[in-house]
Amino acid sequence: MLDGRALGSSRARELVVEAVEAAATLMAEPAVAHAWDRPSVLEGMSIGALCAHLLRAAGATIAYLDRTPADREAGVEPLTAVTYFRAAVEAPIHDRIKEVSAAESAIGPSETAAACRSLTGRLAERLADEPEDRLVAALGDRTLTLDDFCRTRLIEVLLHLDDLARSVGVPTPETDPEGRAVVVDILIGIARDRVGDWPLIHALARRERLAGDPPFPVF
């Protein structure tokens, strides 16, 4: 399964910090503050709510670490970035996410941008201190490696970074292409997990043979 595992542990963590830093920089742009209460490109979310959701999604890394004992063992087979993210996007919580994001955006643009900037520093310090085999608890009693969870954060942060840029009419900030490659690998992995190999191959190279629901978009 493709899920970005070719990256070394420290590199996956560095890419998350870089992505969150890019998000903090964009959030601080005057265009974001001026449009804070306007609709974003995501249905049902204002631009402020989108920023608050991005901040929460990035901060989940520290939240997961804090709630998981450092000596936690895997038990059953750990989730991967693919199986975790697929389960997460299929969970029926999206209306609740919109409500929470709208509420958390009430602190305003400058405070949200400052919180994202602060998170960048805290993430850099915390991720550098965690061992390579660190696990985090997810989806009940399941676990996944911290590095796989970092890979899922790249999807959240980079996609929503693009959503935010498009919402305020500015170019999507440039980030390391390795991070985008991780996102592509996980999205392909989710499609493969959903439909199997041949439908995915047909979608990519033989669209005339594709039958049934298309593999893309994956969510």
PDB file of all heavy atoms in Angstrom, residues 38-59:
ATOM      1  N   ARG A  38     -16.811  35.706   5.476  1.00  0.00           N
ATOM      2  CA  ARG A  38     -17.362  35.325   4.173  1.00  0.00           C
ATOM      3  C   ARG A  38     -17.279  33.813   3.978  1.00  0.00           C
ATOM      4  O   ARG A  38     -16.461  33.138   4.603  1.00  0.00           O
ATOM      5  CB  ARG A  38     -16.599  36.030   3.056  1.00  0.00           C
ATOM      6  CG  ARG A  38     -16.721  37.542   3.084  1.00  0.00           C
ATOM      7  CD  ARG A  38     -15.860  38.148   2.001  1.00  0.00           C
ATOM      8  NE  ARG A  38     -15.771  39.607   2.147  1.00  0.00           N
ATOM      9  CZ  ARG A  38     -14.914  40.368   1.490  1.00  0.00           C
ATOM     10  NH1 ARG A  38     -14.065  39.817   0.634  1.00  0.00           N
ATOM     11  NH2 ARG A  38     -14.896  41.667   1.696  1.00  0.00           N
ATOM     12  N   PRO A  39     -18.097  33.269   3.055  1.00  0.00           N
ATOM     13  CA  PRO A  39     -18.027  31.824   2.791  1.00  0.00           C
ATOM     14  C   PRO A  39     -16.671  31.434   2.204  1.00  0.00           C
ATOM     15  O   PRO A  39     -16.089  32.181   1.408  1.00  0.00           O
ATOM     16  CB  PRO A  39     -19.153  31.597   1.778  1.00  0.00           C
ATOM     17  CG  PRO A  39     -20.068  32.759   1.951  1.00  0.00           C
ATOM     18  CD  PRO A  39     -19.195  33.923   2.321  1.00  0.00           C
ATOM     19  N   SER A  40     -16.194  30.272   2.585  1.00  0.00           N
ATOM     20  CA  SER A  40     -14.992  29.708   1.971  1.00  0.00           C
ATOM     21  C   SER A  40     -15.404  28.825   0.795  1.00  0.00           C
ATOM     22  O   SER A  40     -16.590  28.677   0.491  1.00  0.00           O
ATOM     23  CB  SER A  40     -14.210  28.888   2.996  1.00  0.00           C
ATOM     24  OG  SER A  40     -14.863  27.644   3.247  1.00  0.00           O
ATOM     25  N   VAL A  41     -14.435  28.209   0.158  1.00  0.00           N
ATOM     26  CA  VAL A  41     -14.738  27.289  -0.936  1.00  0.00           C
ATOM     27  C   VAL A  41     -15.322  25.978  -0.423  1.00  0.00           C
ATOM     28  O   VAL A  41     -15.813  25.168  -1.211  1.00  0.00           O
ATOM     29  CB  VAL A  41     -13.492  26.999  -1.798  1.00  0.00           C
ATOM     30  CG1 VAL A  41     -13.006  28.264  -2.489  1.00  0.00           C
ATOM     31  CG2 VAL A  41     -12.375  26.363  -0.975  1.00  0.00           C
ATOM     32  N   LEU A  42     -15.264  25.746   0.883  1.00  0.00           N
ATOM     33  CA  LEU A  42     -15.854  24.549   1.470  1.00  0.00           C
ATOM     34  C   LEU A  42     -17.284  24.862   1.893  1.00  0.00           C
ATOM     35  O   LEU A  42     -17.515  25.771   2.694  1.00  0.00           O
ATOM     36  CB  LEU A  42     -15.036  24.082   2.680  1.00  0.00           C
ATOM     37  CG  LEU A  42     -13.610  23.621   2.381  1.00  0.00           C
ATOM     38  CD1 LEU A  42     -12.960  23.082   3.660  1.00  0.00           C
ATOM     39  CD2 LEU A  42     -13.573  22.561   1.293  1.00  0.00           C
ATOM     40  N   GLU A  43     -18.214  24.100   1.376  1.00  0.00           N
ATOM     41  CA  GLU A  43     -19.627  24.353   1.643  1.00  0.00           C
ATOM     42  C   GLU A  43     -19.911  24.316   3.149  1.00  0.00           C
ATOM     43  O   GLU A  43     -19.500  23.391   3.848  1.00  0.00           O
ATOM     44  CB  GLU A  43     -20.491  23.312   0.937  1.00  0.00           C
ATOM     45  CG  GLU A  43     -21.975  23.564   1.072  1.00  0.00           C
ATOM     46  CD  GLU A  43     -22.811  22.552   0.320  1.00  0.00           C
ATOM     47  OE1 GLU A  43     -22.229  21.691  -0.383  1.00  0.00           O
ATOM     48  OE2 GLU A  43     -24.041  22.612   0.435  1.00  0.00           O
ATOM     49  N   GLY A  44     -20.611  25.339   3.623  1.00  0.00           N
ATOM     50  CA  GLY A  44     -21.005  25.381   5.027  1.00  0.00           C
ATOM     51  C   GLY A  44     -19.947  25.901   5.970  1.00  0.00           C
ATOM     52  O   GLY A  44     -20.153  25.888   7.184  1.00  0.00           O
ATOM     53  N   MET A  45     -18.818  26.372   5.440  1.00  0.00           N
ATOM     54  CA  MET A  45     -17.743  26.900   6.282  1.00  0.00           C
ATOM     55  C   MET A  45     -17.377  28.306   5.845  1.00  0.00           C
ATOM     56  O   MET A  45     -17.130  28.547   4.657  1.00  0.00           O
ATOM     57  CB  MET A  45     -16.482  26.031   6.204  1.00  0.00           C
ATOM     58  CG  MET A  45     -16.386  24.940   7.232  1.00  0.00           C
ATOM     59  SD  MET A  45     -14.710  24.256   7.273  1.00  0.00           S
ATOM     60  CE  MET A  45     -14.926  23.027   8.556  1.00  0.00           C
ATOM     61  N   SER A  46     -17.321  29.215   6.797  1.00  0.00           N
ATOM     62  CA  SER A  46     -16.766  30.535   6.521  1.00  0.00           C
ATOM     63  C   SER A  46     -15.248  30.418   6.416  1.00  0.00           C
ATOM     64  O   SER A  46     -14.645  29.389   6.775  1.00  0.00           O
ATOM     65  CB  SER A  46     -17.135  31.508   7.631  1.00  0.00           C
ATOM     66  OG  SER A  46     -16.461  31.152   8.836  1.00  0.00           O
ATOM     67  N   ILE A  47     -14.626  31.482   5.955  1.00  0.00           N
ATOM     68  CA  ILE A  47     -13.161  31.501   5.901  1.00  0.00           C
ATOM     69  C   ILE A  47     -12.578  31.394   7.309  1.00  0.00           C
ATOM     70  O   ILE A  47     -11.594  30.684   7.540  1.00  0.00           O
ATOM     71  CB  ILE A  47     -12.675  32.757   5.162  1.00  0.00           C
ATOM     72  CG1 ILE A  47     -12.975  32.595   3.674  1.00  0.00           C
ATOM     73  CG2 ILE A  47     -11.193  33.016   5.399  1.00  0.00           C
ATOM     74  CD1 ILE A  47     -12.796  33.833   2.841  1.00  0.00           C
ATOM     75  N   GLY A  48     -13.201  32.054   8.271  1.00  0.00           N
ATOM     76  CA  GLY A  48     -12.745  31.926   9.652  1.00  0.00           C
ATOM     77  C   GLY A  48     -12.866  30.510  10.169  1.00  0.00           C
ATOM     78  O   GLY A  48     -11.959  30.000  10.842  1.00  0.00           O
ATOM     79  N   ALA A  49     -13.993  29.865   9.874  1.00  0.00           N
ATOM     80  CA  ALA A  49     -14.182  28.480  10.313  1.00  0.00           C
ATOM     81  C   ALA A  49     -13.161  27.548   9.670  1.00  0.00           C
ATOM     82  O   ALA A  49     -12.661  26.614  10.310  1.00  0.00           O
ATOM     83  CB  ALA A  49     -15.600  28.018   9.995  1.00  0.00           C
ATOM     84  N   LEU A  50     -12.841  27.797   8.407  1.00  0.00           N
ATOM     85  CA  LEU A  50     -11.818  26.999   7.728  1.00  0.00           C
ATOM     86  C   LEU A  50     -10.480  27.143   8.427  1.00  0.00           C
ATOM     87  O   LEU A  50      -9.767  26.158   8.649  1.00  0.00           O
ATOM     88  CB  LEU A  50     -11.723  27.424   6.266  1.00  0.00           C
ATOM     89  CG  LEU A  50     -10.574  26.834   5.434  1.00  0.00           C
ATOM     90  CD1 LEU A  50     -10.614  25.315   5.430  1.00  0.00           C
ATOM     91  CD2 LEU A  50     -10.627  27.378   4.004  1.00  0.00           C
ATOM     92  N   CYS A  51     -10.120  28.376   8.798  1.00  0.00           N
ATOM     93  CA  CYS A  51      -8.858  28.594   9.519  1.00  0.00           C
ATOM     94  C   CYS A  51      -8.865  27.873  10.865  1.00  0.00           C
ATOM     95  O   CYS A  51      -7.870  27.247  11.254  1.00  0.00           O
ATOM     96  CB  CYS A  51      -8.623  30.079   9.731  1.00  0.00           C
ATOM     97  SG  CYS A  51      -8.213  31.002   8.240  1.00  0.00           S
ATOM     98  N   ALA A  52      -9.983  27.959  11.579  1.00  0.00           N
ATOM     99  CA  ALA A  52     -10.071  27.297  12.879  1.00  0.00           C
ATOM    100  C   ALA A  52      -9.975  25.784  12.726  1.00  0.00           C
ATOM    101  O   ALA A  52      -9.337  25.106  13.544  1.00  0.00           O
ATOM    102  CB  ALA A  52     -11.387  27.679  13.563  1.00  0.00           C
ATOM    103  N   HIS A  53     -10.595  25.247  11.683  1.00  0.00           N
ATOM    104  CA  HIS A  53     -10.522  23.802  11.445  1.00  0.00           C
ATOM    105  C   HIS A  53      -9.100  23.380  11.110  1.00  0.00           C
ATOM    106  O   HIS A  53      -8.617  22.348  11.595  1.00  0.00           O
ATOM    107  CB  HIS A  53     -11.464  23.415  10.315  1.00  0.00           C
ATOM    108  CG  HIS A  53     -11.356  21.976   9.918  1.00  0.00           C
ATOM    109  ND1 HIS A  53     -11.594  20.934  10.805  1.00  0.00           N
ATOM    110  CD2 HIS A  53     -11.002  21.396   8.746  1.00  0.00           C
ATOM    111  CE1 HIS A  53     -11.404  19.782  10.182  1.00  0.00           C
ATOM    112  NE2 HIS A  53     -11.036  20.039   8.943  1.00  0.00           N
ATOM    113  N   LEU A  54      -8.414  24.171  10.288  1.00  0.00           N
ATOM    114  CA  LEU A  54      -7.031  23.859   9.940  1.00  0.00           C
ATOM    115  C   LEU A  54      -6.169  23.838  11.197  1.00  0.00           C
ATOM    116  O   LEU A  54      -5.347  22.928  11.388  1.00  0.00           O
ATOM    117  CB  LEU A  54      -6.524  24.897   8.931  1.00  0.00           C
ATOM    118  CG  LEU A  54      -5.283  24.567   8.113  1.00  0.00           C
ATOM    119  CD1 LEU A  54      -5.155  25.532   6.935  1.00  0.00           C
ATOM    120  CD2 LEU A  54      -4.012  24.586   8.919  1.00  0.00           C
ATOM    121  N   LEU A  55      -6.368  24.831  12.049  1.00  0.00           N
ATOM    122  CA  LEU A  55      -5.601  24.897  13.298  1.00  0.00           C
ATOM    123  C   LEU A  55      -5.868  23.678  14.171  1.00  0.00           C
ATOM    124  O   LEU A  55      -4.936  23.070  14.719  1.00  0.00           O
ATOM    125  CB  LEU A  55      -5.967  26.177  14.047  1.00  0.00           C
ATOM    126  CG  LEU A  55      -5.340  26.371  15.435  1.00  0.00           C
ATOM    127  CD1 LEU A  55      -3.829  26.432  15.348  1.00  0.00           C
ATOM    128  CD2 LEU A  55      -5.897  27.642  16.084  1.00  0.00           C
ATOM    129  N   ARG A  56      -7.127  23.292  14.305  1.00  0.00           N
ATOM    130  CA  ARG A  56      -7.462  22.127  15.124  1.00  0.00           C
ATOM    131  C   ARG A  56      -6.884  20.847  14.523  1.00  0.00           C
ATOM    132  O   ARG A  56      -6.365  19.981  15.244  1.00  0.00           O
ATOM    133  CB  ARG A  56      -8.971  22.004  15.269  1.00  0.00           C
ATOM    134  CG  ARG A  56      -9.421  20.743  15.986  1.00  0.00           C
ATOM    135  CD  ARG A  56     -10.918  20.729  16.203  1.00  0.00           C
ATOM    136  NE  ARG A  56     -11.271  21.533  17.367  1.00  0.00           N
ATOM    137  CZ  ARG A  56     -11.381  21.024  18.595  1.00  0.00           C
ATOM    138  NH1 ARG A  56     -11.142  19.749  18.816  1.00  0.00           N
ATOM    139  NH2 ARG A  56     -11.714  21.796  19.603  1.00  0.00           N
ATOM    140  N   ALA A  57      -6.973  20.699  13.208  1.00  0.00           N
ATOM    141  CA  ALA A  57      -6.453  19.497  12.553  1.00  0.00           C
ATOM    142  C   ALA A  57      -4.952  19.355  12.755  1.00  0.00           C
ATOM    143  O   ALA A  57      -4.433  18.267  12.994  1.00  0.00           O
ATOM    144  CB  ALA A  57      -6.787  19.526  11.063  1.00  0.00           C
ATOM    145  N   ALA A  58      -4.239  20.484  12.665  1.00  0.00           N
ATOM    146  CA  ALA A  58      -2.791  20.453  12.887  1.00  0.00           C
ATOM    147  C   ALA A  58      -2.463  20.186  14.344  1.00  0.00           C
ATOM    148  O   ALA A  58      -1.554  19.415  14.679  1.00  0.00           O
ATOM    149  CB  ALA A  58      -2.163  21.770  12.435  1.00  0.00           C
ATOM    150  N   GLY A  59      -3.221  20.799  15.248  1.00  0.00           N
ATOM    151  CA  GLY A  59      -2.972  20.636  16.674  1.00  0.00           C
ATOM    152  C   GLY A  59      -3.327  19.265  17.204  1.00  0.00           C
ATOM    153  O   GLY A  59      -2.908  18.896  18.312  1.00  0.00           O
TER     154      GLY A  59
END
